[in-house]
Amino acid sequence: MLIIGVDNGNKQTKTKHSVFVSGIVESPTRPGFGSDILHYKGKYYILSDKRKGYQRDKTKDETAFILTLFGIAKEIRASGMHVGAGETVPVTLLIGLPPAHYGMMHKAFRQYFLNRGPIEFELDGQPFRIRIDDAFVFVQGLGAMMTVYSQIKGASDACVIDIGGFTVDYLPVHSGRPVVSACDSLELGVTKMYNSIKSKVSAGWDLLLTEDSIDTVLMGKQSELPADVKNLIRAKADDYVTEIVSELRERDIDLRTVRPVFCGGGAVLLKERILGNPRIGSSAIVVDDLAANCKGYEILYKASHPNEI
């Protein structure tokens, strides 16, 4: 049995060993070139840099399931497992939902992956046959917190802030215990920052930026953009981080009096801006591992199923 964690983000899908954009293109015929091509039930699915729009309920279509098949196949490959022809790989799937959506949606999200029987598909011509025997749904952000739990278990108050593509999810933690009743999701993901930057640069410089070009500047990599455009990108990113801080303060969470734990793709991207923000306390932790939720789900699963490991 393989235990596989998948973080089904709206911007990116993450597993322990892979990260890819949550975008697919469907085709009735196999493309003539390229990789990351999945064949399932007579259709071909190609990973795309263009993600779908925000989906609050991922069970409404098969997109999340197809993206999860990509993740499972990549994890089977990474495990080094030798699978014979026609052999079925049993999988225990570990997945997550934002804290504000967990109570209402976790049962449906779990059932979405179950009772499908043997699942046969190919990735880049390599055949796979899996069976999802069970699925466990955890709270996003809580998984990432578990990877740094030793750093916050002694804090009287902490707050996990998961910056995703479309939402910022926060989960207060008191004396090492998550306060799920006080969690919520803000529609304040990094997409809002990207759109603001692109709009300003288009109006002021008549340049069309991509999210990748913005990421390049914020990650300190070599960029051919004009210096004043780079400065604007950094300034708008600082404004965005401050906006998150202000929204949390409106909800009685002061990031100078609790220990903030930032996670998610947005936190990794904005690590320098977060740690340099004067309205965030010096005890802030940025979990800069994109696979942190997946690894944390595994920690939580093993803690509750010690006899199965």
Side-chain angles (χ1 to χ4, degrees):
M1 177 186 70
L2 272 185
I3 300 169
I4 297 178
V6 180
D7 187 354
N8 300 98
N10 279 288
K11 186 174 188 291
Q12 294 175 317
T13 299
K14 283 88 69 178
T15 68
K16 205 171 183 178
H17 298 96
S18 67
V19 179
F20 47 93
V21 175
S22 297
I24 51 175
V25 175
E26 181 183 315
S27 172
T29 58
R30 182 180 179 86
F33 61 93
S35 59
D36 284 325
I37 301 169
L38 188 140
H39 185 218
Y40 174 65
K41 287 190 174 181
K43 295 180 180 179
Y44 292 90
Y45 300 90
I46 306 97
L47 288 183
S48 167
D49 287 337
K50 186 174 177 58
R51 62 177 182 272
K52 287 191 67 171
Y54 172 57
Q55 276 189 307
R56 185 174 186 272
D57 183 355
K58 296 182 175 68
T59 68
K60 295 297 185 183
D61 62 29
E62 288 287 84
T63 301
F65 178 71
I66 297 299
L67 289 168
T68 299
L69 289 185
F70 274 100
I72 289 172
K74 290 174 181 289
E75 284 302 299
I76 292 174
R77 285 177 172 175
S79 74
M81 175 183 287
H82 175 73
V83 182
E87 184 179 346
T88 301
V89 178
V91 171
T92 294
L93 187 63
L94 312 180
I95 47 183
L97 285 172
H101 302 167
Y102 182 85
M104 184 178 296
M105 296 183 177
H106 74 279
K107 291 182 180 179
F109 197 44
R110 176 175 180 268
Q111 289 301 320
Y112 172 73
F113 292 100
L114 298 179
N115 302 316
R116 292 177 178 262
I119 302 165
E120 297 183 356
F121 63 100
E122 293 182 358
L123 180 60
D124 296 331
Q126 179 181 355
F128 292 87
R129 193 174 194 268
I130 67 168
R131 185 185 65 247
I132 301 175
D133 285 343
D134 210 343
F136 294 83
V137 187
F138 300 96
V139 176
Q140 287 176 358
L142 180 58
M145 184 192 85
M146 294 307 300
T147 66
V148 294
Y149 186 69
S150 62
Q151 300 178 54
I152 66 167
K153 65 180 180 181
S156 58
D157 289 290
C159 187
V160 180
I161 302 122
D162 190 340
I163 305 177
F166 291 89
T167 62
V168 173
D169 306 313
Y170 66 90
L171 177 65
V173 180
H174 180 67
S175 298
R177 294 180 176 275
V179 186
V180 178
S181 61
C183 71
D184 204 353
S185 295
L186 310 173
E187 293 191 3
L188 196 60
V190 289
T191 299
K192 181 176 182 180
M193 179 194 73
Y194 287 136
N195 290 340
S196 175
I197 291 172
K198 288 191 282 188
S199 176
K200 284 284 188 181
V201 172
S202 176
W205 287 268
D206 193 28
L207 294 173
L208 298 178
L209 295 188
T210 64
E211 292 180 6
D212 284 345
S213 62
I214 295 170
D215 290 351
T216 296
V217 173
L218 293 177
M219 294 169 68
K221 297 180 180 179
Q222 180 66 35
S223 168
E224 302 305 317
L225 291 174
D228 48 357
V229 172
K230 294 179 187 177
N231 289 336
L232 179 135
I233 289 172
R234 298 185 189 105
K236 295 294 286 183
D238 285 332
D239 291 345
Y240 169 68
V241 172
T242 297
E243 185 177 2
I244 293 174
V245 175
S246 298
E247 288 287 341
L248 290 172
R249 188 176 174 84
E250 286 289 321
R251 289 155 176 79
D252 296 323
I253 299 172
D254 189 332
L255 298 187
R256 295 169 298 182
T257 60
V258 304
R259 177 167 291 180
V261 180
F262 288 89
C263 61
V268 175
L269 174 67
L270 297 165
K271 181 177 181 177
E272 181 181 340
R273 331 311 302 181
I274 291 168
L275 296 180
N277 192 294
R279 298 179 65 186
I280 297 175
S282 60
S283 65
I285 298 168
V286 177
V287 183
D288 54 5
D289 182 353
L290 287 172
N293 266 322
C294 301
K295 293 176 181 178
Y297 298 159
E298 193 168 317
I299 293 171
L300 291 166
Y301 176 81
K302 289 179 177 179
S304 59
H305 297 77
N307 296 327
E308 297 182 18
I309 308 302

